[in-house]
């Protein structure tokens, strides 16, 4: 879907907070927008939040599950403070919708 929207995509996955922070800091130099699903780190990671706050382009948080149907502590995501938008509860479709939103947000 990224190519059909005129976007190039770099996909990264890690379960390690420091690795994610390193990639986000690298994105400061190379990315126009971010789509992130930090899973359980969404509710606890100030370092990821800080890295996102340094990013100047659109940031879409995509949660596969509906966080408001889960445990109460998941109702607040640190990442939402840095997000341009949040998509939750639509499974893998959420990533496609996030890419569509990014394409729209990056239009001149």
């Amino acid at each position: 879907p990224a190519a059909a929207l005129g976007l190039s995509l770099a996909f990264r996955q890690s379960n390690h907070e420091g690795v994610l922070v390193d990639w986000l800091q690298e994105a400061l130099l190379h990315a126009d927008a971010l789509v992130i699903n930090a899973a359980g780190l969404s509710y606890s990671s100030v370092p990821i939040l800080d890295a996102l706050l340094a990013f100047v382009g659109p940031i879409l948080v995509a949660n596969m599950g509906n966080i408001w149907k889960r445990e109460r502590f998941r109702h607040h995501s640190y990442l939402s403070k840095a997000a341009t938008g949040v998509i939750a509860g639509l499974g893998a479709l959420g990533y496609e919708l996030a890419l569509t939103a990014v394409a729209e947000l990056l239009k001149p």
Side-chain angles (χ1 to χ4, degrees):
L5 294 166
L7 303 172
S8 62
L9 175 69
F11 173 82
R12 308 264 176 95
Q13 190 281 327
S14 178
N15 296 319
H16 302 281
E17 181 180 46
V19 172
L20 295 172
V21 170
D22 288 344
W23 287 339
L24 290 168
Q25 290 173 338
E26 179 184 317
L28 294 172
L29 303 173
H30 303 290
D32 295 321
L34 298 172
V35 175
I36 185 168
N37 176 350
L41 292 170
S42 299
Y43 320 110
S44 62
S45 181
V46 173
I48 291 176
L49 169 62
D50 287 344
L52 290 173
L53 288 171
F55 190 78
V56 296
I59 299 170
L60 278 287
V61 174
N63 297 297
M64 293 187 76
N66 182 345
I67 61 174
W68 295 280
K69 288 180 74 174
R70 299 191 66 193
E71 301 90 344
R72 187 164 187 79
F73 75 88
R74 296 182 194 274
H75 297 179
H76 178 267
S77 164
Y78 282 98
L79 308 190
S80 296
K81 180 169 180 57
T84 306
V86 177
I87 299 169
L90 299 175
L93 176 60
Y95 296 114
E96 292 182 39
L97 294 172
L99 291 175
T100 300
V102 162
E104 287 297 315
L105 291 168
L106 290 177
K107 283 184 178 176

